[in-house]
Amino acid sequence: MQNRLSEIGALEGLLEAADHGEGGGLVLRGEPGVGLTSLLEYAVGAAGTAGMRVTRVTCDEWEHQLGFAGVHQLCAPLLDNLRHLPVPQQQALSLAFGRVAGPPPEPFLVGLAALTLLSAASNVRPVLCAVDDAQWLDPASAAVLAFVARRLLTERVALLFAVQVSASGAGPLTGVRDVLVSGLAADDARKLLESAVPGTLDAHVADRLVAETGGNPLALLELPGELTPDQLGGAEQLPEPIPVGDRLVQRFLKQVRSLPADTQVLLLLSAADPEVDAGVFWSAAARLGLSADAAAPAERERLVTVNHRIAFRHPLIRSAIYAAAPKTERLRVHQALTDAIDSRLHPERHAWHRAVVAQTPDEDVAAGLARSGELARARGDNAAAATLLERASRLSPGPGDRFDRSVSAVEASLAAGTPGRAAAELAQVRAQKLDRIQQAQVLRLRGAISFALGQGADAAAMMLDAALALEDAEPRLARQVYLEALEASIYHGRFGNSGGSVGVAARAREAPRAIKPTAAELLLDGLSLLLTEGHAAAVPVLRRAIAGLRREDDVRWLPLGALAAIEIWDDEGLHGLANRHVQLAREAGQLSHLTTALHQLGGLDDVLSGRLHAAAAWFDEARDLAAAGGDPFASHADAGVLIVAAWQGRPETRDLAVAARRDAVARGLGRYVTFAQYATAVLEMGLGNYEAALAAALEVCEDRALYLATQVLPEVIEAAVRLGETELAAGAVSRLEERTVPSGTDWALGTLARSQALLAEGAEAESLYLSALERLRRSRSVPSLARTHLLYGEWLRRERRRRDARAQLRMAHGLFESIGAGAFDERARIELLATGERVAPRAIEQPIEELTAQEARIARLVSEGSTNPQIAQQLYISPRTVEYHLHKIFRKLDVTTRTQLAALVRESD
C-alpha cells in the first residue's frame, strides 16, 4: 500500500475524525482492478488496530434487486439494540427487513433508524462500516446509506464505500465525499509489474504494459500469466492488442474452462445467486448431482473461497462465468435454485429464479412476480417493485393482466423518483393494443411523467383528456385525474397548454358529481367554482374541503388545500392544514411530503403570522431535506427563502428573485415566475419604491395564479394610491371586495377595510382604519396589523395629528422590529422622525437570531417540550447531534437549562 499515499491519507483522516467524534462518509471510486478492495482492507486493518468496531457489507449484483438488502447486512449485527429505538424507527426497520407486515416504510425513516443504531453502537467504541462493491447496492440501501453518511457530523462512526465505476461514472451515493482511485503512477505500476513477473522483464515491454493497462493493479498482476517468458523478456512480439479491459474477463474464463465440468457447473450455480442461503445452495447443487468436493479445484486456483457458501475472489470472475455460460446451462441452474428455494420463506427469490427459467408467457409465474412486486412496494422499495412488475408484465399471457402490471410498473417507477425509466416502460405499454379506457390510463401516466420530468407544458392537457375518457367507466378515478390536471395547470401556469387552470376547471365542472364527495373531491369542486364563478360560489365548498382535509391521514392534497385556504383568507384553516401536514409527514418519515409541508408551515403560515426567523429555519430544513433526497420540490423552499428575504428587506432579494425566475422558467413552473414577482412587489413596497412595486404587482394580477393574484391586490392598491393612480386603485379595491366579503374572516375584512381607507377621506377614512385594526388584531396576520398601524399613522400625520400619529407609528415600528421586517420598519422609523419623535437606536438583535438555522430549529423544538430523541426523529439527525448543537446553543445564548432556553425562545416570538 506504499503506492497509495494520498488514498491512505484520506482513509486515516476518516478513521481519526471518527475516533474524535467527527464522523463522516467516504466513497472510493474506481474501475475494476484498481485496488479498491485492497484499500478497504487497509482501512479495516487500521480500524481493528485502533480498537474500532468493524461491520462489513459485501454487495452483490443479485441483491441489487432486493430492497434494503445492503442496509440489512449493515444493521444485522446491531439489531440487538432495535428495541431501544423510537417506535416509528423500529417499525420502519422491521418493515424494510420483512420482519413484519404493514405499509411501506419511508426510506429516510429507515435511514434515521440505521443512524440511531450506529450512533448507539459508537457509544461503546468507534465504528467503521466498510461496504465493498457498493455499485451493487440496491437503490433503497444506497439512498439510506448516503443519507446516514451525510449525518455523521458528531458521531464516532465512519462509513467507507468502495464503488466500481468508470472514471467518469457518477455511481450511487451521490453527495458523499469521494476519492477517485485511478491507476498507479508509472513508476509504481512498473514496480508492481516487476514483482509479478518471475523471470526477466524487458523495459520496453514494461512501459507498454503499464501504458496500455493505465496502471490498473489487477490487470498488471493478472496479465503476466497471459504472456510467455519470451514475450515478457522482449524476445517475442507482444500480442496485439494487449488483453486488457474486457479481455481481462477472458483471463478469468480461461482459468474456469480448465476446471472439471462439475466444478464449472458449481461455479455457475453460485454465479446465478451468490447470496442465496447456504442450505438452499447445496440443496440446489445436489439436484444437479454436485457435491462440495467439486469446489476444491476452483479454490486451489484461487478463484473462490469456500466457507459454507462459495465466494468469488473478484466480481469479474462471477460476471465472466455467468455471461459465458450457454443459455441451456444457465436455465438448468436457475431451475435447480427454483426447486430448492421454499417460496413461503423467500417468495421474491423464488419468483425471480422461476421467471428466469420461464421462456414463454406463464400466468402462474407472472402472478408470483406481481405478488413479489407488491411485497417490494409494501417495504417501500419502489425501484425493486418496478423491476419485478415489469418482468411480470412481460410474462403475462393475458392482455388485461399484461396491461395492468405494466401500468403498475410505470407507477412504481414514478414513485421511485425515476420518471425516465417510467417513460421507457410506458413506451412498451403504448405498443400494446389498447382499448379506450386503457388509452386514457396511458394518457394520464404520460401527463404525470411529463410533470415529474419538468416537461409539463402538455401535462395538464393530457390529464384532462384522460379524465374525459374515464368519466363513464371510472367516474371516481376521472375526478381524481381532473384534480391532478388542475394541480398541474396551477403549477405550470403560463407555460401550460391546457387552456390554463380556468380551462381545466370549466371542464371539471361538467363532470358527474359524487353523491358523497371526499375531501379531495370537495377541493376539486371548490377550486373549479372559484376559477369559473368566483369566491361567493366557491367559499362554502372550499371551507368544507379544508375541514375534511384537516381530518384526513393522507397528505396528498394538503398542499393544494393550503393554497385554497389562503385564497379564501382562511388563516386558521391554513394553520391547521400546515401543522397537520408536518405532523403526518414527520410521523411517516415521508421526505418529499415533508419538504412541501415545511414550506406550507414556514412560507404560508409563519410568514403570514410574522414569524420570519422561524420561517427561515423551516425553509433551511426543507432545502436540506430536498437536497438529501434529490427532491423536485426544492422550488418550494427556494420560494420561501425569497419571500422571507423580501419581508426582511434584504438587499440581495432582487438577485434572488432573478435567480428564482430563471430557475422557474427552466423548470416550466409558471407559478414560481409569478411568485418571484409577488416577492418583488412586497420588497419594493417595504422600500417605498412604489413604481417598481406596482409594476411587479400588476404582472402578478395578469397571471391569475391561485392566491397570489388575490394577495397582491393590497399592494396594487397602496402603490397606485401613492402614485396618484386612483382609478386603478379603485378597480383593485372592487376586485378585493369580491374576494374578501364572501370569506368574512377578520383577516379578509380587516385587509379590505385598510385598503378602502386609502381611498377615503376624513371621518370615513379614520373609521375604516379603526375597523381594520380591530379585525386584524383578532387574526393571525401580524404583518397586516403592523402595516395598518403604519398606514393609519401616515394618514394621521398628513392630517397634522402628530400626537395620534406617533402612537400608531410606534406600534408599527415595534411590530415590524419584533418580526424582523427591516424595510417596513425603516419606513415607520422615518415617519416617526417626521412627527418630531426621537427614535431610539435599532435594538440589538435578540440572542435567538444569532443561532444558525439548524440551532434555531432545535431551540424551538426544545421550547415546545420535545426531548432529544424526539428532536432527532423530526430533524433526521441522531440524538448525539442534537446534544452537540444544544451545547453550542447554551453557550451562544448564555443559558444553562432547557427551561431558560424555552423562555428565551418564547420571548423572541
Side-chain angles (χ1 to χ4, degrees):
M1 297 301 294
Q2 67 272 18
N3 301 319
R4 293 294 190 185
L5 297 181
S6 62
E7 291 87 348
I8 289 174
L11 294 174
E12 291 179 345
L14 177 74
L15 299 179
E16 184 178 354
D19 188 47
H20 289 85
E22 298 174 359
L26 180 67
V27 180
L28 300 173
R29 298 187 191 275
E31 294 179 334
V34 296
L36 298 176
T37 299
S38 296
L39 287 167
L40 210 70
E41 293 292 347
Y42 176 86
V44 167
T49 301
M52 297 179 71
R53 176 174 182 173
V54 177
T55 64
R56 302 193 62 168
V57 175
T58 301
C59 304
D60 182 80
E61 186 175 0
W62 157 254
E63 292 200 343
H64 188 66
Q65 306 295 338
L66 299 178
F68 299 111
V71 176
H72 184 265
Q73 279 198 63
L74 181 73
C75 293
L78 311 175
L79 289 180
D80 288 346
N81 292 322
L82 182 64
R83 65 185 182 278
H84 300 305
L85 270 61
V87 172
Q89 296 180 30
Q90 292 183 40
Q91 292 174 338
L93 276 188
S94 297
L95 288 166
F97 298 162
R99 295 160 65 100
V100 298
E106 168 61 32
F108 288 90
L109 193 55
V110 177
L112 186 57
L115 175 62
T116 306
L117 280 179
L118 289 170
S119 178
S122 72
N123 286 332
V124 180
R125 52 180 171 146
V127 176
L128 169 66
C129 303
V131 184
D132 202 3
D133 288 329
Q135 71 276 6
W136 296 124
L137 272 173
D138 58 282
S141 290
V144 165
L145 295 183
F147 176 90
V148 172
R150 290 190 290 264
R151 280 162 172 74
L152 294 174
L153 176 65
T154 61
E155 309 301 331
R156 299 200 302 165
V157 178
L159 269 180
L160 178 62
F161 304 90
V163 178
Q164 290 186 3
V165 292
S166 65
S168 60
L173 306 166
T174 300
V176 182
R177 182 169 67 96
D178 63 0
V179 171
L180 180 62
V181 181
S182 56
L184 298 173
D187 289 343
D188 294 331
R190 190 177 295 106
K191 290 176 183 177
L192 180 63
L193 182 59
E194 289 173 350
S195 71
V197 175
T200 303
L201 176 65
D202 180 79
H204 295 291
V205 171
D207 287 343
R208 184 176 175 193
L209 292 178
V210 168
E212 294 204 27
T213 60
N216 184 297
L218 181 59
L220 292 168
L221 291 170
E222 298 287 349
L223 276 174
E226 288 286 296
L227 303 173
T228 67
D230 285 345
Q231 288 172 330
L232 291 168
E236 184 178 337
Q237 186 177 0
L238 289 172
E240 180 63 32
I242 296 295
V244 295
D246 289 340
R247 290 172 291 280
L248 186 59
V249 174
Q250 297 304 315
R251 166 72 180 84
F252 294 128
L253 286 180
K254 287 182 180 180
Q255 287 181 276
V256 172
R257 288 175 182 142
S258 66
L259 298 172
D262 282 1
T263 303
Q264 291 189 46
V265 176
L266 190 68
L267 293 181
L268 178 59
L269 178 66
S270 183
D273 190 349
E275 295 300 325
V276 74
D277 179 80
V280 172
F281 175 81
W282 291 112
S283 174
R287 294 169 191 272
L288 294 168
L290 306 172
S291 69
D293 293 339
E299 195 167 23
R300 284 195 299 269
E301 290 291 322
R302 298 188 305 111
L303 289 169
V304 299
T305 58
V306 180
N307 184 11
H308 302 299
R309 291 185 308 189
I310 290 179
F312 291 102
R313 175 170 56 85
H314 192 283
L316 281 177
I317 303 174
R318 181 213 167 193
S319 299
I321 290 170
Y322 191 81
K327 184 177 180 179
T328 54
E329 284 298 294
R330 292 202 301 266
L331 295 179
R332 193 162 74 96
V333 298
H334 281 291
Q335 183 63 62
L337 286 166
T338 301
D339 295 339
I341 295 172
D342 187 333
S343 61
R344 295 167 299 179
L345 298 177
H346 307 287
E348 292 177 49
R349 261 194 164 90
H350 181 270
W352 184 259
H353 287 294
R354 193 179 178 207
V356 174
V357 173
Q359 297 300 294
T360 58
D362 184 316
E363 175 54 28
D364 193 34
V365 175
L369 278 171
R371 286 192 296 271
S372 295
E374 294 308 319
L375 286 172
R377 271 185 165 178
R379 291 197 313 272
D381 188 0
N382 287 295
T387 298
L388 292 163
L389 289 164
E390 192 273 337
R391 178 69 172 162
S393 71
R394 289 177 181 272
L395 290 174
S396 299
D401 289 329
R402 184 163 59 250
F403 174 82
D404 291 342
R405 289 160 184 164
S406 295
V407 167
S408 295
V410 173
E411 291 174 339
S413 291
L414 275 172
T418 54
R421 177 179 176 179
E425 290 166 345
L426 190 62
Q428 299 296 320
V429 179
R430 293 172 67 186
Q432 302 174 23
K433 186 176 180 179
L434 307 176
D435 61 31
R436 185 175 64 87
I437 300 303
Q438 290 172 332
Q439 289 173 351
Q441 291 176 281
V442 167
L443 194 58
R444 175 202 183 189
L445 290 172
R446 286 177 59 198
I449 291 169
S450 294
F451 193 24
L453 286 171
Q455 303 166 352
D458 298 318
M462 287 188 280
M463 293 175 181
L464 193 56
D465 289 343
L468 282 169
L470 291 168
E471 276 187 9
D472 294 336
E474 299 283 351
R476 191 133 245 171
L477 176 59
R479 290 178 63 76
Q480 178 180 327
V481 180
Y482 273 123
L483 189 54
E484 291 169 355
L486 189 57
E487 178 187 47
S489 69
I490 286 169
Y491 278 95
H492 284 292
R494 64 186 75 184
F495 299 126
N497 294 332
S498 61
S501 54
V502 175
V504 176
R507 298 275 285 275
R509 292 271 294 127
E510 298 172 1
R513 297 286 182 274
I515 297 175
K516 292 183 178 180
T518 64
E521 289 171 329
L522 286 170
L523 183 61
L524 172 65
D525 291 339
L527 289 174
S528 299
L529 281 168
L530 177 77
L531 293 165
T532 56
E533 297 187 21
H535 286 67
V539 165
V541 181
L542 285 175
R543 279 189 177 144
R544 290 174 59 202
I546 291 166
L549 290 171
R550 290 177 66 174
R551 292 191 297 268
E552 289 196 350
D553 292 334
D554 185 2
V555 302
R556 173 63 179 91
W557 296 111
L558 294 183
L560 197 57
L563 300 188
I566 301 181
E567 179 65 53
I568 65 171
W569 304 85
D570 184 0
D571 46 338
E572 292 296 338
L574 168 66
H575 184 65
L577 286 174
N579 281 284
R580 180 67 169 159
H581 199 171
V582 173
Q583 175 196 350
L584 291 174
R586 286 204 192 281
E587 287 175 355
Q590 295 173 314
L591 190 72
S592 60
H593 289 302
L594 183 54
T595 57
T596 310
L598 295 174
H599 172 260
Q600 308 296 341
L601 186 59
L604 304 184
D605 187 45
D606 275 353
V607 171
L608 166 67
S609 62
R611 292 158 51 96
L612 299 181
H613 192 67
W618 291 121
F619 292 137
D620 282 341
E621 182 180 355
R623 295 177 84 180
D624 288 347
L625 293 177
D631 198 293
F633 291 102
S635 294
H636 291 322
D638 291 338
V641 170
L642 177 59
I643 193 62
V644 168
W647 271 104
Q648 291 174 337
R650 284 158 38 198
E652 69 269 24
T653 305
R654 294 189 183 94
D655 291 338
L656 289 173
V658 170
R661 282 176 65 98
R662 187 186 305 117
D663 179 68
V665 170
R667 293 169 178 257
L669 295 172
R671 172 175 185 76
Y672 290 109
V673 175
T674 306
F675 192 94
Q677 287 302 100
Y678 172 70
T680 300
V682 172
L683 170 73
E684 302 296 355
M685 188 64 67
L687 295 171
N689 299 328
Y690 301 117
E691 208 167 308
L694 182 60
L698 288 175
E699 185 177 334
V700 176
C701 289
E702 289 173 6
D703 200 51
R704 300 186 65 181
L706 183 67
Y707 103 74
L708 294 172
T710 292
Q711 288 296 309
V712 84
L713 286 173
E715 316 300 335
V716 172
I717 296 163
E718 184 178 345
V721 168
R722 293 291 183 244
L723 295 170
E725 300 278 355
T726 54
E727 188 174 338
L728 176 61
V733 167
S734 296
R735 295 200 300 278
L736 183 63
E737 187 173 1
E738 293 169 359
R739 300 176 185 210
T740 51
V741 171
S743 170
T745 65
D746 285 317
W747 180 28
L749 298 181
T751 303
L752 175 63
R754 184 187 77 207
S755 299
Q756 290 171 328
L758 286 165
L759 287 168
E761 296 180 354
E764 181 187 3
E766 182 158 29
S767 175
L768 287 167
Y769 277 125
L770 291 172
S771 174
L773 289 171
E774 181 182 357
R775 288 189 176 278
L776 290 171
R777 286 191 192 100
R778 296 195 294 262
S779 79
R780 301 189 69 256
S781 184
V782 174
S784 292
L785 175 62
R787 287 182 66 174
T788 304
H789 281 296
L790 174 61
L791 291 175
Y792 185 27
E794 290 174 341
W795 181 83
L796 288 168
R797 187 179 68 80
R798 289 194 299 273
E799 293 290 311
R800 302 182 183 279
R801 295 166 54 184
R802 292 193 172 190
R803 179 178 298 175
D804 293 337
R806 287 186 196 120
Q808 295 301 320
L809 294 171
R810 285 192 206 104
M811 288 292 297
H813 178 49
L815 286 172
F816 285 133
E817 187 176 45
S818 70
I819 66 176
F824 284 101
D825 187 24
E826 182 64 10
R827 269 183 58 182
R829 190 185 71 82
I830 292 171
E831 286 290 328
L832 270 171
L833 290 172
T835 66
E837 175 91 344
R838 283 192 170 187
V839 184
R842 181 181 173 86
I844 297 174
E845 284 191 346
Q846 298 182 41
I848 196 72
E849 296 180 5
E850 298 176 9
L851 302 179
T852 66
Q854 181 83 314
E855 290 165 355
R857 290 195 291 270
I858 291 172
R860 194 164 300 281
L861 288 169
V862 167
S863 74
E864 294 169 359
S866 297
T867 63
N868 285 9
Q870 289 169 337
I871 295 171
Q873 174 83 10
Q874 292 199 40
L875 300 187
Y876 292 89
I877 56 179
S878 72
R880 191 199 304 278
T881 301
V882 175
E883 184 178 354
Y884 165 78
H885 283 302
L886 272 176
H887 283 306
K888 294 174 65 178
I889 292 167
F890 282 8
R891 285 200 309 269
K892 284 185 179 182
L893 303 185
D894 194 25
V895 296
T896 57
T897 68
R898 297 171 82 95
T899 302
Q900 291 173 337
L901 175 59
L904 196 57
V905 172
R906 286 192 291 271
E907 182 181 329
S908 70
D909 288 342

